[in-house]
Amino acid sequence: MWLGLHSPDDAQMAAVATVFDLHELAVEDAVVAHQRPKVEAYGDTLFVVLRTLAYVDHASMAETAEVVSTGEIMIFLGADYVITVRHGEQTELATMRHRMEEVPSALAVGPSVVLHAVADRVVDAYLAVVDEMDTDLAEIETTVFTGPTVDIDPVYLLKREVIEFRRASTPLAAALARLTAPNPWLPDEVRTYLRDVSDHLTTVNDRVMDYDNLLSSMLDAATAKVGIQQNTDMRMITAWAAMAVAPTMIAGIYGMNFENMPELHWRYGYFVVLGLMATICFTLWRTFRKHGWL
Amino acid sequence: MWLGLHSPDDAQMAAVATVFDLHELAVEDAVVAHQRPKVEAYGDTLFVVLRTLAYVDHASMAETAEVVSTGEIMIFLGADYVITVRHGEQTELATMRHRMEEVPSALAVGPSVVLHAVADRVVDAYLAVVDEMDTDLAEIETTVFTGPTVDIDPVYLLKREVIEFRRASTPLAAALARLTAPNPWLPDEVRTYLRDVSDHLTTVNDRVMDYDNLLSSMLDAATAKVGIQQNTDMRMITAWAAMAVAPTMIAGIYGMNFENMPELHWRYGYFVVLGLMATICFTLWRTFRKHGWL
Amino acid sequence: MWLGLHSPDDAQMAAVATVFDLHELAVEDAVVAHQRPKVEAYGDTLFVVLRTLAYVDHASMAETAEVVSTGEIMIFLGADYVITVRHGEQTELATMRHRMEEVPSALAVGPSVVLHAVADRVVDAYLAVVDEMDTDLAEIETTVFTGPTVDIDPVYLLKREVIEFRRASTPLAAALARLTAPNPWLPDEVRTYLRDVSDHLTTVNDRVMDYDNLLSSMLDAATAKVGIQQNTDMRMITAWAAMAVAPTMIAGIYGMNFENMPELHWRYGYFVVLGLMATICFTLWRTFRKHGWL
Amino acid sequence: MWLGLHSPDDAQMAAVATVFDLHELAVEDAVVAHQRPKVEAYGDTLFVVLRTLAYVDHASMAETAEVVSTGEIMIFLGADYVITVRHGEQTELATMRHRMEEVPSALAVGPSVVLHAVADRVVDAYLAVVDEMDTDLAEIETTVFTGPTVDIDPVYLLKREVIEFRRASTPLAAALARLTAPNPWLPDEVRTYLRDVSDHLTTVNDRVMDYDNLLSSMLDAATAKVGIQQNTDMRMITAWAAMAVAPTMIAGIYGMNFENMPELHWRYGYFVVLGLMATICFTLWRTFRKHGWL
Amino acid sequence: MWLGLHSPDDAQMAAVATVFDLHELAVEDAVVAHQRPKVEAYGDTLFVVLRTLAYVDHASMAETAEVVSTGEIMIFLGADYVITVRHGEQTELATMRHRMEEVPSALAVGPSVVLHAVADRVVDAYLAVVDEMDTDLAEIETTVFTGPTVDIDPVYLLKREVIEFRRASTPLAAALARLTAPNPWLPDEVRTYLRDVSDHLTTVNDRVMDYDNLLSSMLDAATAKVGIQQNTDMRMITAWAAMAVAPTMIAGIYGMNFENMPELHWRYGYFVVLGLMATICFTLWRTFRKHGWL
């Protein structure tokens, strides 16, 4: 028997708990959202908490403050029943249920098949989110390393979402390890299939961990890049400034009011000085060019 | 029997120790505050140290140097008695005691019920502090990423408080693990309930660890942001400076005192030069604008 | 019997699976690429996933965005057959197969010999990639520490490739550990040889981990170097600016139009002022030189 | 029997070794200072190495290069004797010995009581050093976050001392764990007391680890702060520079020598221009003020 | 029997392998240099790989790119023979051999004594290198914290050598742990002596790990220091610039050509303006001085 609930309130949950004789602590956990992934055994009943993740679409990394949204699915697994409690809109289960009910043989093994199906679907959703993050990461890399200016906010934003992601997926590894180890609640066949889910989860966790490292390196690289950019700018600015300062200084000298300044009376003094200024500017330009400041 | 003490002095504690035959080392620990969370067995008596945490209200992150205050609760658990020793004003126990004494059945299981009740209350208080920190973190994120200037002090301040928090909550995980494992002091039922407390503590520890990571990333991101801000400022400053330097240079040239400077005698020389200056400034303005320096 | 497949499609794989009675989950993994290295036992069949790596040639670190390309080799090892499934062009197996088939005694031990041969070849390819990375790293070190300007992009790029590399090689260590431990699928002799492969892998993992650390340090060192470079530049710029500003200021003073400025009427006033300017510039030049600003 | 030695030379130690039949390797370790904390069993004899720490007084963090000094105490514990070898002046033992000898009952348990007494005293000295470091850390925090300029040297200096500290205290934890576990050399009572010492050591290690983290964060925060300070300075400098450059540019224009410059002949032209300059400066001042640059 | 080889070629090694019946894989490892430290048992023969380290003398940290050079020593330990194979010139063994052969009793225990002697000598050489690195580190600290300019290259260089060092010494700890644990190849006495070597190695590893941390902190501290230096420079530069800009602006004003500028006709106008300039400069100088910019 498979009972599916969506964001039940206290009263609904209490009714269900009475019928199936569920443990008070598990029921409490099932009503309050924001639980940590875990596996807990209360007598014959297995209580499993999974966190669901969904990618929130956004036009660009800078436009939204939320890349990953989270929900929960709790599963009560008894000898002859399974109860799924879902919080949030992530990882909808109805489609899956219909598909499973069309293949009666699938459910013949017992309610633990549902546990595998749900876990599989949750981890597949993780994988989908990770793929989207991959795209985001590539977009950020392009922005940071080839864009005209470095923008740090998306790096931090994705870092935060990666941490959010890991809060959901990392503890699940330990929970799945408990389920795949020999235990009295799950038949061997289901455990083999859960081991496959566990493998996929490890892949997810590896990739998310890598993103975490990459984003940290990117922050460091961006800091260095900003410094380099500033140095390049400063050199260019300085080069142009030097080309303006030199003529100004010379003009200042010939703007002095001394009575006896022979150059002022030369016929072509002015033109010679203009030429001198142009020569100096050109020489400076060539020198800076040669040293890569321009 | 439940005996509750608040910041007892040596004499009081010695009297209690004599009556209940408490171990010298535990009694010493119970008087001196600033202990580390731990579980220690002295013969039949279980000695448990918990650190209590409370959030210190403050108008803004910059205004106070203390976000989290700490205290201790020590518990002596004997076969037929429980002694709680509280240091500091955090996590008051009286209300809880009254509530428990109104439901006699609750205490029927034995004094270990009090141990669970106290641990539950302490960890619930952790959760409340974490929620407040969440708000602080969001406030700091807003300041760092959208404010007009980056302020680093609140980031460091919260980092320090997070470390303070972890000093209280992290060792408690190991202590609770000892209590939830099969042991001669606690009945199975109490251990099941303590496992629930332990789960909540893990959630708390995960979140605080995440804050720690986020604050580190924020420090790195802020460093990069400051560099970017400086570069942007420098470019804007330079652009305006260039627009002032060019006319100054031209004015300098026509301020020279050469006898033979034909332009000076042209009727509209002055106006042509003024126009030239304006044209140069406008061209520079447009160029800088196009390259995003203005 | 040794069956070698290259990027088989679903139909081909299904046919093979039927013949050899392979487990559904393993077959699914063998078709879909981008698996994580692992060892999985399905009844008598051992299913091993290896990731292959190849170094992508490039003229310089800055020119390409991909230094390491990856593929997969999956191995089904039964009592009397071995099936290798290869995805990607890395680590070609045909040559190795021909060589092995020329020495019939080599294959006499059984199909597990092929497992060792493939693993050995894959890890040898890792070693070759690591050697190439060594060269890249040395090149980057030279660029960062002795080049005229610091370029950050290759550091980040190699860091990313190192992370990619570790995603392939790190999980293989755990997989090999399972194969070298006593197990029912592999004879002792093969296990001894696999231990040698495992040793080589550890060397590879150590070296790649070291690159990771070095690249992180290099990012930090580069950030500091950029700051130092900027400071040096700023000092040099300032020194030259001072040498231009001082004469300009003096020229400005003697460009004032006061009626009573005695110096203006001195015969050699102009020359004295020119000399003063030169002296000031030379003194500044010597002072800056002495303090290492020039 | 309790034999106390202070910085013995080879000959003295050799004599003692002969009398008590001590193991060659332990004797060698006892003569050479700079050992690592450890517990080693040679037959019936237990050989324990402890590192002693003392805080070196200094007027301010910047004035001294050494905040923590280190020494060693080695203990040979036999069935009916204990030999303590002390190197360095830290953690003097004589006072403790006199106190213990006045209470004969204390020593009745056997020589292992001395082991506990020495370990307790050494760890208490750690705690005293940690308290002093706490004060230093608070002083440095004040300097970095509220002082007029950021000074990095004390942060690095304390970081180095923290690392020095951890070299002494961290390995001791493993050594004490060996002594508090059931073992043939120590009676249960002494082990209970050593567990208390071990608890204190854990507190010390936690706190020192926290200092380590805080100092790292402080370095990062200081880097960001320096950048912010520089940006603030640059903005202020720029604002004042703009207020000087604008009048200079205008003055330059009216210093040109064109024959036909109508404004020059206006009666109040000069005063109008002076007023214009003042207005521009005031407008700039107000604008910069409004944007927080001044 | 003790056979010592130095950088043998394939043929020599093959001959030896035939005589002593050595395992193919060990022989292969013994010929190819650049192995990882390890202990491997092939039947009765123990095969041990050690990496040797030597400090490369250099006048200053900046002058050389190589601080530590590495070699290998491989040991084949049979029941009645020991074969040492040495690659590289580090850690010469001949002297040690002569000394051992002069004390026949030393070798009476069996060939495993040689294993201890070699390991002891290798680790002693590590300790010598670490002592030299200590000096280098102190030299770098002095350069970074008290020198006129911060130089980053030696910090990175030593960091790289520390990583090189750890590649040799860290895996040896695991190898030695295998030898000091009870095993069929080594008598108890030799294991006790190897435990002493293992202790020394732990000291070495602790210290090198500390250097690693210190160098990382130094990179961070240097980055912050460079920023501080730049800020200090910028403030000083600005102060002097302000003192040049103010007179220039005033001179510009009195260089204007307005017909009606009363000050120009005052008798002492010029001297009053000169005095004004001097007063402004002095006031600025005093103000900057007071605020610590000069």
Side-chain angles (χ1 to χ4, degrees):
Chain A
M1 204 195 126
W2 179 356
L3 180 66
L5 301 170
H6 191 269
S7 304
D9 56 28
D10 278 7
Q12 292 173 301
M13 208 55 222
V16 172
T18 317
V19 174
F20 292 94
D21 191 26
L22 305 175
H23 194 281
E24 167 191 12
L25 285 169
V27 171
E28 199 183 290
D29 281 355
V31 177
V32 187
H34 300 298
Q35 295 293 318
R36 200 172 171 272
K38 66 170 177 179
V39 169
E40 192 76 45
Y42 295 104
D44 297 340
T45 317
L46 207 61
F47 177 61
V48 180
V49 179
L50 302 165
R51 287 196 84 158
T52 52
L53 291 173
Y55 185 79
V56 179
D57 259 322
H58 50 262
S60 85
M61 279 310 292
E63 251 170 57
T64 176
E66 186 90 270
V67 171
V68 169
S69 75
T70 64
E72 280 97 30
I73 293 179
M74 287 85 165
I75 303 169
F76 293 87
L77 182 67
D80 52 1
Y81 65 88
V82 60
I83 305 171
T84 56
V85 181
R86 189 156 68 91
H87 293 272
E89 299 307 315
Q90 298 80 4
T91 314
E92 159 269 5
L93 299 175
T95 320
M96 184 189 82
R97 187 169 183 171
H98 294 313
R99 216 174 326 124
M100 284 179 81
E101 286 170 345
E102 285 166 12
V103 194
S105 70
L107 288 165
V109 178
S112 63
V113 171
V114 175
L115 176 62
H116 163 257
V118 172
D120 192 38
R121 204 158 144 48
V122 165
V123 172
D124 274 0
Y126 288 1
L127 214 58
V129 175
V130 165
D131 284 339
E132 297 279 3
M133 279 179 153
D134 220 37
T135 313
D136 280 352
L137 193 76
E139 190 190 312
I140 292 175
E141 275 184 0
T142 310
T143 314
V144 169
F145 288 101
T146 65
T149 50
V150 178
D151 188 3
I152 284 300
D153 299 20
V155 183
Y156 175 79
L157 176 59
L158 193 55
K159 178 100 191 178
R160 200 182 58 188
E161 299 301 302
V162 161
I163 288 174
E164 176 91 31
F165 193 112
R166 292 178 61 185
R167 204 187 292 169
S169 68
T170 309
L172 185 53
L176 283 182
R178 262 189 84 185
L179 295 177
T180 54
N183 64 61
W185 303 283
L186 303 177
D188 278 13
E189 201 183 326
V190 171
R191 287 200 295 112
T192 303
Y193 278 83
L194 276 175
R195 207 149 54 223
D196 195 59
V197 174
S198 181
D199 273 351
H200 292 167
L201 181 65
T202 311
T203 306
V204 166
N205 280 338
D206 281 3
R207 282 176 66 184
V208 174
M209 176 81 91
D210 287 352
Y211 296 163
D212 208 354
N213 286 339
L214 274 177
L215 287 166
S216 291
S217 297
M218 220 187 286
L219 275 180
D220 288 350
T223 305
K225 270 191 90 72
V226 169
I228 293 168
Q229 181 62 60
Q230 185 158 350
N231 214 15
T232 310
D233 283 5
M234 198 178 73
R235 287 177 164 185
M236 197 181 67
I237 290 164
T238 302
W240 288 112
M243 281 186 266
V245 162
T248 304
M249 186 182 75
I250 294 169
I253 289 169
Y254 290 106
M256 293 193 294
N257 296 320
F258 286 99
E259 267 172 18
N260 182 18
M261 292 176 67
E263 297 96 320
L264 297 183
H265 307 296
W266 294 352
R267 183 149 191 195
Y268 299 111
Y270 172 55
F271 303 101
V272 166
V273 164
L274 281 190
L276 179 67
M277 288 175 178
T279 311
I280 289 176
C281 284
F282 180 69
T283 312
L284 283 171
W285 185 83
R286 262 222 333 229
T287 311
F288 284 122
R289 189 101 210 173
K290 217 179 78 191
H291 288 84
W293 288 40
L294 275 178
Chain B
M1 206 194 125
W2 179 354
L3 180 66
L5 302 170
H6 191 269
S7 304
D9 56 27
D10 278 6
Q12 291 173 301
M13 209 55 222
V16 172
T18 317
V19 175
F20 292 94
D21 191 26
L22 305 176
H23 194 281
E24 167 193 11
L25 285 170
V27 171
E28 199 183 290
D29 281 355
V31 177
V32 187
H34 301 298
Q35 296 293 318
R36 201 172 171 272
K38 66 168 176 180
V39 169
E40 192 75 45
Y42 296 105
D44 297 340
T45 317
L46 207 62
F47 177 60
V48 181
V49 178
L50 302 165
R51 288 195 82 158
T52 52
L53 291 173
Y55 185 79
V56 179
D57 259 322
H58 50 260
S60 85
M61 279 309 295
E63 252 169 57
T64 175
E66 185 90 270
V67 171
V68 169
S69 75
T70 64
E72 280 96 31
I73 294 180
M74 286 84 167
I75 303 169
F76 293 88
L77 182 67
D80 52 1
Y81 65 88
V82 60
I83 306 171
T84 56
V85 181
R86 189 155 68 90
H87 292 271
E89 299 307 314
Q90 298 79 6
T91 314
E92 160 267 7
L93 299 176
T95 320
M96 184 189 83
R97 187 170 183 172
H98 293 313
R99 216 171 330 121
M100 285 180 81
E101 285 169 346
E102 285 167 11
V103 193
S105 69
L107 289 164
V109 178
S112 62
V113 171
V114 175
L115 176 62
H116 163 258
V118 172
D120 192 38
R121 206 159 142 48
V122 165
V123 172
D124 274 359
Y126 288 0
L127 214 58
V129 175
V130 165
D131 283 340
E132 297 279 2
M133 279 179 153
D134 220 38
T135 314
D136 280 353
L137 193 76
E139 190 190 312
I140 291 175
E141 275 185 0
T142 310
T143 313
V144 169
F145 288 102
T146 65
T149 51
V150 178
D151 188 3
I152 284 301
D153 298 20
V155 183
Y156 176 78
L157 176 58
L158 193 55
K159 178 99 191 181
R160 200 181 59 188
E161 298 300 304
V162 160
I163 288 174
E164 175 92 32
F165 192 112
R166 291 178 61 183
R167 204 186 294 169
S169 68
T170 309
L172 185 54
L176 283 183
R178 263 190 82 185
L179 294 178
T180 54
N183 65 62
W185 303 283
L186 302 177
D188 278 14
E189 201 182 326
V190 171
R191 286 200 297 111
T192 303
Y193 278 82
L194 276 174
R195 207 149 54 221
D196 194 59
V197 174
S198 181
D199 272 350
H200 292 168
L201 181 65
T202 311
T203 306
V204 166
N205 280 337
D206 280 3
R207 281 175 67 183
V208 173
M209 176 79 92
D210 287 350
Y211 295 164
D212 208 354
N213 286 339
L214 274 177
L215 288 166
S216 291
S217 296
M218 221 188 287
L219 275 180
D220 288 349
T223 305
K225 270 191 90 72
V226 168
I228 293 169
Q229 181 64 57
Q230 184 158 350
N231 213 16
T232 309
D233 283 5
M234 198 178 73
R235 287 177 164 186
M236 196 181 67
I237 290 163
T238 302
W240 288 112
M243 281 185 265
V245 162
T248 304
M249 186 183 75
I250 293 170
I253 289 169
Y254 290 105
M256 293 193 295
N257 296 320
F258 287 98
E259 267 173 20
N260 181 17
M261 291 176 68
E263 297 96 320
L264 296 182
H265 309 296
W266 295 351
R267 185 151 189 193
Y268 299 110
Y270 172 54
F271 303 101
V272 166
V273 164
L274 280 190
L276 179 67
M277 288 175 179
T279 310
I280 289 176
C281 284
F282 180 70
T283 311
L284 285 171
W285 185 82
R286 260 218 339 226
T287 311
F288 284 123
R289 189 102 210 174
K290 216 180 78 191
H291 289 83
W293 288 41
L294 275 178
Chain C
M1 202 197 128
W2 178 355
L3 180 65
L5 301 170
H6 191 269
S7 304
D9 56 28
D10 278 7
Q12 291 174 302
M13 208 56 221
V16 173
T18 316
V19 174
F20 292 95
D21 191 24
L22 305 175
H23 194 280
E24 166 192 12
L25 286 169
V27 171
E28 198 182 290
D29 281 355
V31 178
V32 187
H34 300 299
Q35 296 293 318
R36 199 172 172 273
K38 64 170 177 179
V39 169
E40 192 75 46
Y42 296 105
D44 297 339
T45 317
L46 207 61
F47 177 60
V48 181
V49 179
L50 302 165
R51 287 195 83 159
T52 52
L53 291 173
Y55 184 80
V56 179
D57 258 322
H58 50 262
S60 84
M61 278 309 294
E63 251 169 58
T64 176
E66 187 90 90
V67 171
V68 169
S69 75
T70 64
E72 279 97 30
I73 294 179
M74 286 84 166
I75 303 169
F76 293 86
L77 180 67
D80 53 0
Y81 65 90
V82 60
I83 306 171
T84 56
V85 181
R86 188 154 68 92
H87 293 271
E89 300 306 316
Q90 298 80 4
T91 314
E92 159 269 6
L93 299 175
T95 320
M96 184 189 83
R97 187 171 183 170
H98 293 314
R99 218 173 324 123
M100 284 180 82
E101 286 170 345
E102 284 167 12
V103 194
S105 71
L107 287 164
V109 178
S112 63
V113 170
V114 175
L115 175 63
H116 164 258
V118 172
D120 193 38
R121 205 158 144 49
V122 165
V123 172
D124 274 0
Y126 288 0
L127 214 58
V129 175
V130 165
D131 283 340
E132 297 279 3
M133 279 179 153
D134 221 37
T135 315
D136 280 352
L137 193 76
E139 191 190 312
I140 291 175
E141 275 184 0
T142 311
T143 314
V144 169
F145 289 102
T146 65
T149 51
V150 178
D151 188 3
I152 284 300
D153 299 19
V155 183
Y156 176 79
L157 176 58
L158 192 56
K159 177 100 193 179
R160 201 182 58 189
E161 298 302 301
V162 161
I163 288 174
E164 176 91 31
F165 192 113
R166 291 178 62 184
R167 205 186 292 169
S169 68
T170 309
L172 185 53
L176 282 183
R178 263 190 82 186
L179 294 177
T180 53
N183 64 61
W185 303 282
L186 303 176
D188 278 14
E189 202 183 325
V190 171
R191 288 201 295 111
T192 304
Y193 279 83
L194 276 174
R195 207 147 57 222
D196 195 57
V197 174
S198 181
D199 273 351
H200 293 168
L201 180 64
T202 311
T203 306
V204 166
N205 280 337
D206 281 4
R207 281 176 68 184
V208 173
M209 176 81 90
D210 287 351
Y211 296 163
D212 208 355
N213 286 339
L214 273 178
L215 287 167
S216 291
S217 297
M218 220 187 287
L219 275 180
D220 287 350
T223 305
K225 271 192 89 70
V226 169
I228 293 168
Q229 182 62 58
Q230 184 159 349
N231 213 17
T232 310
D233 283 5
M234 197 178 73
R235 287 177 164 185
M236 197 181 67
I237 291 163
T238 303
W240 287 112
M243 281 187 266
V245 163
T248 305
M249 185 182 76
I250 294 169
I253 289 170
Y254 290 106
M256 294 194 293
N257 296 320
F258 287 99
E259 267 174 18
N260 182 17
M261 291 176 67
E263 297 96 320
L264 298 183
H265 308 296
W266 295 352
R267 186 154 187 190
Y268 298 110
Y270 172 55
F271 304 101
V272 166
V273 164
L274 281 190
L276 178 67
M277 289 176 179
T279 311
I280 289 176
C281 283
F282 180 70
T283 311
L284 285 170
W285 185 83
R286 262 223 332 230
T287 311
F288 284 122
R289 189 103 210 173
K290 216 179 80 190
H291 288 84
W293 288 41
L294 274 178
Chain D
M1 206 196 124
W2 179 354
L3 181 66
L5 302 170
H6 191 270
S7 303
D9 57 28
D10 277 7
Q12 292 172 301
M13 209 54 223
V16 172
T18 316
V19 175
F20 293 95
D21 191 25
L22 305 175
H23 194 281
E24 167 193 11
L25 285 169
V27 171
E28 199 182 289
D29 281 353
V31 176
V32 187
H34 301 299
Q35 296 293 317
R36 199 172 172 272
K38 66 169 176 179
V39 170
E40 192 74 45
Y42 295 106
D44 298 339
T45 317
L46 207 61
F47 177 60
V48 181
V49 178
L50 302 165
R51 287 196 83 158
T52 52
L53 292 173
Y55 185 79
V56 179
D57 260 322
H58 50 261
S60 84
M61 279 308 294
E63 252 169 57
T64 175
E66 186 90 89
V67 171
V68 169
S69 75
T70 63
E72 279 97 31
I73 294 180
M74 286 84 166
I75 303 169
F76 293 87
L77 181 69
D80 52 0
Y81 65 89
V82 60
I83 306 170
T84 57
V85 181
R86 189 154 69 90
H87 293 271
E89 299 307 314
Q90 298 80 5
T91 314
E92 160 269 7
L93 300 175
T95 321
M96 185 189 82
R97 187 170 184 171
H98 293 313
R99 217 172 328 122
M100 285 180 81
E101 285 170 344
E102 285 167 12
V103 194
S105 69
L107 288 165
V109 178
S112 63
V113 171
V114 175
L115 176 62
H116 163 258
V118 172
D120 192 38
R121 205 159 142 48
V122 165
V123 173
D124 275 359
Y126 289 0
L127 213 58
V129 175
V130 166
D131 283 340
E132 297 279 3
M133 279 179 153
D134 220 37
T135 315
D136 279 353
L137 193 76
E139 191 190 311
I140 291 175
E141 275 186 359
T142 311
T143 314
V144 169
F145 288 102
T146 65
T149 51
V150 178
D151 188 2
I152 285 300
D153 299 19
V155 182
Y156 176 78
L157 176 58
L158 193 56
K159 178 99 191 181
R160 202 182 56 188
E161 297 301 302
V162 160
I163 288 174
E164 175 91 32
F165 192 112
R166 291 179 62 185
R167 205 186 293 169
S169 68
T170 308
L172 185 53
L176 282 183
R178 261 190 84 185
L179 295 177
T180 53
N183 65 61
W185 302 283
L186 303 177
D188 277 15
E189 201 182 326
V190 170
R191 287 200 296 112
T192 303
Y193 278 82
L194 276 175
R195 208 150 52 223
D196 195 58
V197 174
S198 181
D199 273 350
H200 293 167
L201 181 66
T202 311
T203 306
V204 165
N205 280 338
D206 281 2
R207 282 176 67 184
V208 173
M209 177 79 91
D210 287 351
Y211 296 164
D212 208 355
N213 286 339
L214 273 177
L215 288 166
S216 291
S217 297
M218 220 188 287
L219 275 180
D220 288 349
T223 305
K225 271 191 90 72
V226 168
I228 293 169
Q229 181 63 57
Q230 184 158 349
N231 213 16
T232 310
D233 282 5
M234 197 178 73
R235 288 177 164 186
M236 196 181 68
I237 290 163
T238 303
W240 288 112
M243 281 186 266
V245 163
T248 305
M249 185 183 75
I250 293 170
I253 288 170
Y254 290 106
M256 293 194 294
N257 295 320
F258 286 98
E259 267 172 20
N260 181 17
M261 292 176 67
E263 297 96 319
L264 297 182
H265 309 295
W266 295 351
R267 188 155 187 189
Y268 299 109
Y270 172 52
F271 303 100
V272 166
V273 164
L274 280 190
L276 179 67
M277 289 176 178
T279 310
I280 289 177
C281 283
F282 180 70
T283 311
L284 284 171
W285 185 82
R286 261 221 334 229
T287 310
F288 284 123
R289 189 103 210 173
K290 217 179 77 192
H291 288 83
W293 289 41
L294 275 179
Chain E
M1 205 197 126
W2 178 355
L3 181 66
L5 301 169
H6 191 269
S7 305
D9 57 26
D10 278 8
Q12 292 173 299
M13 208 55 222
V16 172
T18 316
V19 175
F20 292 95
D21 190 25
L22 304 176
H23 194 281
E24 167 193 11
L25 285 170
V27 171
E28 199 183 290
D29 282 354
V31 177
V32 187
H34 301 298
Q35 296 293 318
R36 199 172 172 272
K38 65 169 178 179
V39 170
E40 192 75 44
Y42 295 105
D44 297 339
T45 318
L46 207 61
F47 177 60
V48 181
V49 178
L50 302 166
R51 288 195 83 158
T52 52
L53 291 173
Y55 185 79
V56 179
D57 260 321
H58 50 262
S60 83
M61 278 309 295
E63 251 169 58
T64 175
E66 187 90 270
V67 171
V68 169
S69 75
T70 64
E72 280 97 30
I73 294 180
M74 287 84 166
I75 303 169
F76 294 87
L77 181 67
D80 53 0
Y81 65 89
V82 59
I83 306 171
T84 57
V85 180
R86 189 154 68 91
H87 293 271
E89 299 307 315
Q90 298 80 5
T91 314
E92 159 269 6
L93 299 175
T95 321
M96 184 189 83
R97 187 171 184 169
H98 293 313
R99 219 174 323 125
M100 284 180 81
E101 286 170 343
E102 285 167 11
V103 193
S105 70
L107 288 164
V109 178
S112 62
V113 170
V114 175
L115 176 62
H116 163 258
V118 172
D120 192 38
R121 204 157 143 51
V122 165
V123 172
D124 274 0
Y126 288 0
L127 214 58
V129 175
V130 165
D131 283 339
E132 297 279 4
M133 280 180 154
D134 220 37
T135 314
D136 280 353
L137 193 75
E139 191 190 311
I140 292 175
E141 275 185 359
T142 311
T143 314
V144 169
F145 288 102
T146 64
T149 50
V150 178
D151 188 3
I152 284 301
D153 298 19
V155 183
Y156 176 78
L157 176 58
L158 192 55
K159 178 101 192 178
R160 201 181 58 189
E161 297 302 302
V162 160
I163 289 174
E164 175 91 32
F165 192 112
R166 291 178 61 183
R167 205 186 293 170
S169 68
T170 308
L172 185 53
L176 282 183
R178 261 191 83 186
L179 294 178
T180 53
N183 65 60
W185 302 283
L186 303 177
D188 278 14
E189 201 183 326
V190 170
R191 287 201 296 112
T192 304
Y193 278 82
L194 276 175
R195 208 147 55 222
D196 196 58
V197 174
S198 181
D199 272 351
H200 293 168
L201 181 64
T202 311
T203 307
V204 166
N205 280 338
D206 281 3
R207 282 175 68 182
V208 174
M209 177 79 90
D210 287 351
Y211 296 163
D212 208 354
N213 286 339
L214 274 178
L215 288 167
S216 291
S217 297
M218 220 187 287
L219 275 180
D220 288 349
T223 305
K225 271 192 90 70
V226 169
I228 293 169
Q229 181 63 57
Q230 184 158 351
N231 214 17
T232 310
D233 283 5
M234 197 179 71
R235 288 177 163 186
M236 197 180 68
I237 290 163
T238 303
W240 288 112
M243 281 187 266
V245 163
T248 304
M249 185 183 75
I250 293 169
I253 288 170
Y254 290 106
M256 294 194 293
N257 296 321
F258 287 98
E259 268 173 19
N260 181 17
M261 291 176 68
E263 298 96 319
L264 298 183
H265 309 296
W266 295 352
R267 188 156 186 188
Y268 299 110
Y270 173 53
F271 302 101
V272 166
V273 163
L274 280 190
L276 179 68
M277 289 176 177
T279 311
I280 289 176
C281 283
F282 180 70
T283 311
L284 284 171
W285 185 82
R286 261 220 335 227
T287 311
F288 284 123
R289 189 104 211 171
K290 216 179 80 190
H291 289 85
W293 288 41
L294 274 179

